[in-house]
Amino acid sequence: MAPVRTMRAAFYTPGDNKAVLKDTPIPTPTSKQVLLKLAAAGVCHSDVYFLSDDVLDPRTYVMGHENVGYAVEWGSEVTGIVKGQLYAVWDAIPCARAVPGFPPFSESIGLGENGGYAEYLVVAASELVPVPKGLAPEVAVVSADSLITVYNALHNVAELRPGTTKRVLIYGVGGLGHQAVQLGLLLAYYHHLRRLSHAQNSPRSRVSSVRHTDSWSLELDITT
């Protein structure tokens, strides 16, 4: 019999106000799942909330719902996954079963089901989004939760679109707010990009790149 492969993971344990680090078996993917080797896992305020005395969750599970990792193996029914590719885990499941008194996502990865505060994680192949080449795991991981939250606020609530000239008030520049500022700037700069492109006489004129110069501004390269 082959020895059981184990990994280190940080568990939420009822009645403990700290994540409990212990050895646990490396999960085996089912036919529709992918095993990821974790590259980064974000810390969300909800993790702190669950570790406080505000919520008494009777379940024990590995914490961490903001995750990116490299695909290492997968089940027989999985297609389109590239070994060694970095993937972000998108686990916002509106119809997830809820524990009474808990929000509807409380049966999702890292919130009821085992999450990414570990060396490995199994997820459904349908929940994986390839991370663009060159984007660092610790940067990509914010897209798994906080950046999606910000995007929803700006795109769906404030109804900002690329090229917008609308004004929006971002109240509080904390963990989410600073991302809202940057995303809002990016959406607004598309308006300036179009104006700059149209202003050039050459039909070959284009904006070659947009990059951050600091947390508050973007720098444009115009080529002809």
Side-chain angles (χ1 to χ4, degrees):
M1 183 177 180
V4 177
R5 299 183 300 166
T6 61
M7 65 179 182
R8 299 286 275 172
F11 284 81
Y12 170 83
T13 304
D16 203 317
N17 294 124
K18 294 183 179 180
V20 179
L21 189 63
K22 58 184 179 182
D23 292 323
T24 191
I26 294 176
T28 300
T30 62
S31 61
K32 296 182 179 180
Q33 289 183 322
V34 177
L35 178 67
L36 298 179
K37 181 175 178 57
L38 271 298
V43 177
C44 181
H45 184 72
S46 63
D47 296 321
V48 179
Y49 181 71
F50 272 76
L51 288 172
S52 71
D53 292 328
D54 295 330
V55 174
L56 296 178
D57 189 346
R59 304 164 298 178
T60 296
Y61 50 87
V62 180
M63 302 182 72
H65 59 271
E66 303 178 7
N67 308 300
V68 296
Y70 299 98
V72 292
E73 61 183 76
W74 47 87
S76 59
E77 297 182 42
V78 175
T79 60
I81 297 298
V82 178
K83 189 169 186 177
Q85 165 72 45
L86 183 65
Y87 290 93
V89 180
W90 183 70
D91 192 47
I93 308 174
C95 60
R97 292 178 294 114
V99 173
F102 284 10
F105 54 75
S106 62
E107 284 284 351
S108 57
I109 290 173
L111 292 167
E113 297 180 2
N114 286 337
Y117 290 175
E119 296 177 74
Y120 293 89
L121 171 68
V122 288
V123 298
S126 59
E127 296 174 335
L128 295 181
V129 179
V131 174
K133 186 177 181 180
L135 192 62
E138 62 271 20
V139 175
V141 75
V142 301
S143 67
D145 185 5
S146 60
L147 187 57
I148 289 177
T149 302
V150 166
Y151 179 81
N152 177 65
L154 293 181
H155 186 270
N156 296 330
V157 179
E159 297 184 344
L160 298 187
R161 296 293 185 271
T164 184
T165 57
K166 293 177 65 175
R167 292 176 178 269
V168 61
L169 172 65
I170 298 171
Y171 185 78
V173 187
L176 296 180
H178 81 91
Q179 295 179 65
V181 169
Q182 295 178 77
L183 183 57
L185 280 171
L186 182 60
L187 290 171
Y189 264 88
Y190 275 111
H191 171 68
H192 295 287
L193 296 182
R194 286 209 299 254
R195 290 177 60 191
L196 287 167
S197 294
H198 291 321
Q200 303 297 317
N201 293 323
S202 170
R204 295 178 299 159
S205 298
R206 59 187 173 83
V207 178
S208 62
S209 69
V210 182
R211 61 179 178 271
H212 290 276
T213 55
D214 54 48
S215 297
W216 302 93
S217 61
L218 300 173
E219 183 175 296
L220 313 181
D221 277 353
I222 309 297
T223 61
T224 57

